[in-house]
Amino acid sequence: MRSISIKLSGGKWIALILVIALLLSLTAPAFAAVPGVDATMEGATEGIVAVAHPKAAEAGKMVLQQGGNAIDAAAAIQLALNVVEPMMSGIGGGGFTMIYLKDENKFTVIDSRELAPQNVDATLFLGEDGEPIPWFERHTSGKAVGVPGTLMGIETALEKYGTMTLSEVIDPAIKLAEEGVELNWINALYIEQNIAKLEQYGTAAEVFIPNGVPLKKGDLLVQPDLAKTLKLIKEHGSDVFYNGEIGEAIVAEVQKRGGSMTMEDMRNYRAVERTPVSGEYRGYEIVSMPPPSSGGLTIIQILKLMEGYDVEKLGLNSVEYLHRLLQAMHLSYADRAKYMADEDFIAVPKEGLINQEYINERRKLINPNYVVGNAEAGDPWKYENKNIDTTAVEQEEKPIGETTHFSVIDQWGNMVAYTTTIEAVFGAGIMVPEYGLMLNNELTDFDAIPGGVNEVAPGKRPLSSMSPTLVLKDGQPFMALGSPGGPTIITSVAQTILNVIDHKLPIQEAILAPRVYSSGYPTVRWEAGIDQDVVLQLMAKGHVFQETPRDIGNVQAVLFDYENNKMYGGADDTREGAVFGVDAVYFVIEEPSKIYLGEQGPFTLKINDVIYPYYDHQMLLEDGTSYILANKLFAGLGLSKEIPEDLKEYTFEEAGNTYLPVRVVAEALDYEVSWDGENRTVLLKKDIHQFSESDEYGYYDEDEFKITN
Ligand code: GLU
């Protein structure tokens, strides 16, 4: 073959290179796809907000439009949320404002968490009998009210990092309080669910249950007292709150309801600026909330435990994925209970907890086959070369609170992730008379039982789970997200990050994908939408799924496509979330229809006292014999779906479905079988795991999904 050589001059070389580059650009995508981006949508370029209520989102968008930065918009959103979602957050509560300043490449967080007044001690929530005061009484008592921080937090953030003043960003909130806001489906439901609490002290009922009739969807919620309070703040700043008439009204009401807060507590309140915790996950930088929140460290622990697996290959919400994820949660929550509290009072092993070697050691406790028992805390201090003794008291089962989270990116690439709360829905149920603001019950986040790291102490902040989180890639802003939901916040945020980075879902789908939560063996809370076979197979591995699914959290996230400089966002469907971009992207979440699982069947199946989630169309009761769809029964018993030869003769066909008698199958598997006629329940009993000693205490290096290189 003859070789052809062509001589080109310098200019022609450049031209040739350009032609080749052009040809390449026509055949290959210009950039690697950025995870989480919704390719069907035109992204925004001038800023974006994701908020749990459209009216508050509108306030934030307006500020961005006027040239305000992310911090200004966040302040406007929080104040508006106080009006339109008053059961979740407001100036009677506290929160964490996570800030990323693009120009300085700086992360910081303004901690406006409520703190305990001076005149309390570790027995605050114990009754005369030495036992914790019953929950309803405790969480609606003046004792539960922490010194509120939100207003000081907003003011501090604006003064340090904003471009607008408190008196400017408060205007949309005043207007909403004065003119009223139409109640949406979810806020109407929150009122309906909290009637007893709102009526207990009366003042809140006058606003939310006027003339004894609870406001319902479509009704106008007008709040003149709150408008007055906001106007006072517009005029006098936070001084009128911490050092003036609003503070005096708060203190009087708290004392009237059994609390000890004084004006001195109010005057001494300070929002604190803290350095976030951060860790790397698959090349992304995760920046999140340090103590007094357990959020950041626990999220990073969960992610780093999962980093050792090929999560994408495990598959979203598959048995193998959730089995490992739930155990990663158990390990992380065990450490959380033992080591995490307000760092101003207790040393927290912030480095040890997310030290790579420590994580590698902990990961070995994840059993690829069964969940074998509750995880115990590790010894992260070892990885800081320290030996500090801390104690965990038994974690009390208490109702999971709710709060609200929103996220913002501005046109300059600054980001804010802000989780803000009054703890329970409607906080303590105490509204300050004539000032229209709801007071928090944040001090119930302390352990009621003294002795642990999170016991009550004067001036201390209760341990939080709130986790406003930022994700960066190669120094570029990528994502800001967070969620309400008490301790479930942590797993909601971690799962959303996994869904974007590993499972490659666009942000909105990543948020809507059903989630699970388990802070300890064996109970799992789960959202409808997790495949029933997956639930049953996980139960066969020893996880106990709650009988009925329930919503978990309410994630709001914004995302920056750092390759194309476009912004996207996502909002959860458990509230009327809204994602508003300044120049593109605009949607409001509609009330979702409920996922239908099925009705109660003709009988119930309990294995080792746990009810298994089978539904009417999967069960038959024929001539006193209980049948379950063969493949569903096998899933719950941890068998492969193939019907073994010796069981084939027992199958019962109906409407094209194959059923098997529960007793016959269970006895073949050595279960003890009985029938509780009164409750129409088939009871199966056996040590289903049959673990060996080594199973229970072993290290598990063998796992096909582990990443070994
Ligand atoms: N009190 C909770 C915490 O700080 C937040 C409220 C909630 O969402 O439960 O973790």
Side-chain angles (χ1 to χ4, degrees):
M1 212 169 108
R2 243 172 2 130
S3 68
I4 307 166
S5 76
I6 307 169
K7 282 212 158 137
L8 294 173
S9 67
K12 284 183 182 150
W13 271 116
I14 293 170
L16 183 66
I17 290 166
L18 285 176
V19 168
I20 293 170
L22 179 70
L23 285 173
L24 281 176
S25 74
L26 290 176
T27 52
F31 304 105
V34 171
V37 168
D38 184 344
T40 66
M41 217 180 251
E42 181 58 38
T45 60
E46 290 170 29
I48 194 163
V49 302
V51 188
H53 195 292
K55 292 288 181 200
E58 199 59 55
K61 181 186 159 191
M62 220 167 70
V63 166
L64 292 179
Q65 236 158 3
Q66 290 163 359
N69 70 8
I71 292 88
D72 303 324
I77 293 169
Q78 164 65 95
L79 290 160
L81 279 172
N82 190 159
V83 179
V84 300
E85 207 191 28
M87 60 291 286
M88 295 302 177
S89 76
I91 55 178
F96 302 132
T97 319
M98 178 71 63
I99 298 171
Y100 169 69
L101 299 167
K102 176 86 165 66
D103 273 354
E104 300 163 49
N105 192 27
K106 173 178 172 156
F107 305 101
T108 188
V109 59
I110 308 292
D111 167 359
S112 58
R113 181 84 166 158
E114 305 90 327
L115 43 78
Q118 282 307 312
N119 195 17
V120 296
D121 63 27
T123 63
L124 179 69
F125 292 122
L126 296 182
E128 276 166 18
D129 56 359
E131 292 296 315
I133 300 168
W135 178 253
F136 187 82
E137 192 186 324
R138 189 193 329 162
H139 95 291
T140 57
S141 155
K143 287 182 180 184
V145 183
V147 185
T150 292
L151 187 60
M152 183 83 76
I154 297 173
E155 200 178 51
T156 308
L158 284 172
E159 278 168 6
K160 287 193 162 173
Y161 303 113
T163 67
M164 295 167 83
T165 61
L166 180 59
S167 112
E168 287 169 314
V169 297
I170 208 167
D171 284 340
I174 295 174
K175 191 160 182 266
L176 288 162
E178 265 179 340
E179 293 176 4
V181 54
E182 218 177 90
L183 210 61
N184 63 19
W185 51 275
I186 187 67
N187 288 355
L189 185 67
Y190 286 129
I191 292 175
E192 194 186 307
Q193 288 170 340
N194 286 279
I195 290 176
K197 184 163 159 178
L198 294 168
E199 283 180 340
Q200 188 178 8
Y201 301 124
T203 314
E206 285 166 25
V207 176
F208 301 110
I209 314 176
N211 308 314
V213 185
L215 289 180
K216 51 186 194 315
K217 182 181 160 186
D219 287 349
L220 205 58
L221 170 65
V222 191
Q223 299 171 82
D225 286 348
L226 185 57
K228 175 188 93 176
T229 300
L230 296 171
K231 280 182 184 165
L232 281 169
I233 293 167
K234 179 176 170 71
E235 202 175 328
H236 305 287
S238 73
D239 192 56
V240 67
F241 188 91
Y242 289 99
N243 199 17
E245 64 175 281
I246 304 174
E248 275 156 21
I250 291 174
V251 164
E253 185 63 13
V254 170
Q255 290 184 2
K256 188 169 167 192
R257 306 299 171 202
S260 66
M261 195 190 295
T262 63
M263 271 317 277
E264 204 189 333
D265 291 316
M266 290 292 288
R267 272 193 285 271
N268 287 339
Y269 186 85
R270 293 288 172 275
V272 188
E273 188 162 2
R274 297 187 192 272
T275 307
V277 290
S278 65
E280 205 181 295
Y281 177 69
R282 290 200 213 283
Y284 292 82
E285 194 180 354
I286 313 291
V287 179
S288 191
M289 190 61 211
S293 177
S294 56
L297 290 166
T298 314
I299 287 170
I300 295 170
Q301 269 200 334
I302 293 173
L303 291 175
K304 286 182 98 55
L305 286 166
M306 294 306 288
E307 197 174 22
Y309 301 103
D310 187 338
V311 169
E312 190 179 4
K313 188 164 147 208
L314 282 164
L316 176 68
N317 289 344
S318 68
V319 175
E320 298 300 344
Y321 170 59
L322 293 178
H323 178 60
R324 287 161 184 77
L325 181 62
L326 288 165
Q327 290 177 80
M329 291 177 190
H330 298 165
L331 289 165
S332 307
Y333 278 86
D335 278 352
R336 174 186 183 272
K338 179 151 183 191
Y339 296 109
M340 298 186 203
D342 182 352
E343 219 186 347
D344 297 344
F345 286 70
I346 303 282
V348 178
K350 281 195 298 193
E351 286 164 23
L353 283 164
I354 53 175
N355 173 289
Q356 191 62 51
E357 277 177 57
Y358 177 62
I359 297 283
N360 294 346
E361 179 199 317
R362 297 287 281 166
R363 189 184 302 115
K364 289 183 185 165
L365 297 167
I366 296 181
N367 183 329
N369 305 314
Y370 301 106
V371 55
V372 291
N374 213 358
E376 282 175 17
D379 183 8
W381 281 122
K382 214 168 65 188
Y383 295 84
E384 295 189 18
N385 295 320
K386 288 184 189 145
N387 186 4
I388 296 178
D389 204 17
T390 48
T391 324
V393 293
E394 204 183 316
Q395 297 297 292
E396 192 191 6
E397 276 289 324
K398 55 176 198 176
I400 288 178
E402 280 293 337
T403 164
T404 197
H405 176 88
F406 59 90
S407 303
V408 185
I409 309 182
D410 66 23
Q411 57 179 308
W412 301 281
N414 303 310
M415 301 196 282
V416 170
Y418 192 163
T419 316
T420 168
T421 185
I422 50 175
E423 197 338 77
V425 177
F426 288 107
I430 304 173
M431 180 178 269
V432 181
E434 292 172 38
Y435 291 85
L437 65 113
M438 297 301 302
L439 291 175
N440 71 83
N441 57 352
E442 215 71 46
L443 302 190
T444 60
D445 276 355
F446 281 118
D447 295 340
I449 302 162
V453 288
N454 187 34
E455 67 178 8
V456 184
K460 189 175 175 184
R461 291 171 154 87
L463 180 66
S464 173
S465 298
M466 292 191 291
S467 313
T469 300
L470 304 172
V471 184
L472 282 97
K473 174 73 174 153
D474 303 329
Q476 296 273 12
F478 171 50
M479 200 157 60
L481 76 163
S483 174
T488 70
I489 291 172
I490 293 165
T491 55
S492 293
V493 173
Q495 284 171 90
T496 308
I497 294 173
L498 290 164
N499 290 353
V500 169
I501 294 179
D502 295 275
H503 299 300
K504 311 270 188 300
L505 294 181
I507 185 64
Q508 182 60 25
E509 283 177 44
I511 290 172
L512 294 185
R515 295 189 279 266
V516 295
Y517 164 76
S518 179
S519 60
Y521 169 83
T523 311
V524 181
R525 184 167 161 165
W526 57 293
E527 290 194 315
I530 306 266
D531 190 272
Q532 186 195 14
D533 284 345
V534 170
V535 172
L536 291 169
Q537 288 175 58
L538 284 164
M539 291 182 82
K541 284 178 177 292
H543 302 276
V544 173
F545 276 62
Q546 290 183 336
E547 215 177 303
T548 37
R550 274 192 292 169
D551 293 332
I552 301 174
N554 180 264
V555 175
Q556 262 67 240
V558 291
L559 187 133
F560 186 66
D561 174 349
Y562 44 83
E563 298 282 12
N564 297 300
N565 292 329
K566 293 279 173 75
M567 300 162 192
Y568 301 83
D572 223 324
D573 63 355
T574 40
R575 297 188 200 161
E576 196 189 4
V579 182
F580 293 169
V582 172
D583 52 329
V585 185
Y586 190 94
F587 61 90
V588 177
I589 301 293
E590 282 178 15
E591 182 173 1
S593 45
K594 290 271 168 272
I595 297 178
Y596 179 73
L597 295 169
E599 301 293 327
Q600 170 80 45
F603 64 94
T604 300
L605 175 67
K606 269 191 183 177
I607 305 181
N608 292 337
D609 298 324
V610 175
I611 295 182
Y612 273 52
Y614 292 112
Y615 307 103
D616 52 353
H617 55 287
Q618 300 167 339
M619 308 173 110
L620 286 178
L621 200 55
E622 284 287 324
D623 301 332
T625 303
S626 52
Y627 292 86
I628 291 183
L629 274 183
N631 58 352
K632 297 286 172 194
L633 182 60
F634 282 10
L637 296 173
L639 299 174
S640 78
K641 286 191 177 162
E642 215 52 15
I643 300 178
E645 274 310 312
D646 53 344
L647 288 180
K648 281 199 172 139
E649 61 175 297
Y650 299 101
T651 56
F652 180 92
E653 303 283 335
E654 196 187 82
N657 293 317
T658 305
Y659 295 81
L660 274 169
V662 179
R663 178 181 287 275
V664 171
V665 178
E667 280 177 350
L669 293 168
D670 294 330
Y671 282 90
E672 210 182 281
V673 184
S674 56
W675 169 250
D676 169 0
E678 197 182 325
N679 298 305
R680 302 173 75 78
T681 301
V682 181
L683 301 162
L684 308 190
K685 287 223 182 263
K686 179 170 108 170
D687 177 3
I688 51 169
H689 306 139
Q690 294 172 335
F691 303 121
S692 66
E693 277 287 292
S694 65
D695 252 339
E696 198 151 355
Y697 302 105
Y699 286 110
Y700 307 96
D701 284 321
E702 293 302 313
D703 184 338
E704 58 174 310
F705 293 102
K706 251 189 196 169
I707 295 171
T708 44
N709 53 8

